[in-house]
Amino acid sequence: MAHVETSVMIKLALFTTAMFSLPILTYFQTVDRIFDGNASYAAGSAAVVANIVLFSYIIVAALEDPIPEEKPKEE
């Protein structure tokens, strides 16, 4: 079984939580406060937030240091 670093799992958990909660919170915060009941604009802003979270995850994953491969011991 492959070893997964703790930092990778923490990042995954944080981005998963953000992907679930931030678009929902954005929708309900903007539907009445910013867009005066216009659900289409509020849904659009929630979609923008979801895309921001997704692209942020991709950038963080791309910039992450690779795990060095373990080389077999030569005797």
Side-chain angles (χ1 to χ4, degrees):
M1 184 172 183
H3 173 69
V4 178
E5 291 188 24
T6 305
S7 64
V8 173
M9 295 306 293
I10 290 171
K11 288 176 194 174
L12 180 62
L14 289 175
F15 277 102
T16 300
T17 303
M19 184 59 110
F20 176 76
S21 62
L22 290 180
I24 294 171
L25 291 173
T26 301
Y27 175 81
F28 285 110
Q29 290 297 317
T30 60
V31 71
D32 289 325
R33 293 181 185 195
I34 296 175
F35 299 122
D36 296 324
N38 191 336
S40 297
Y41 289 153
S45 65
V48 168
V49 169
N51 282 310
I52 289 171
V53 172
L54 176 65
F55 289 128
S56 299
Y57 178 72
I58 291 170
I59 290 169
V60 168
L63 295 177
E64 188 172 279
D65 293 332
I67 299 173
E69 296 284 330
E70 290 184 18
K71 295 181 182 178
K73 295 180 182 178
E74 295 180 17
E75 294 182 28

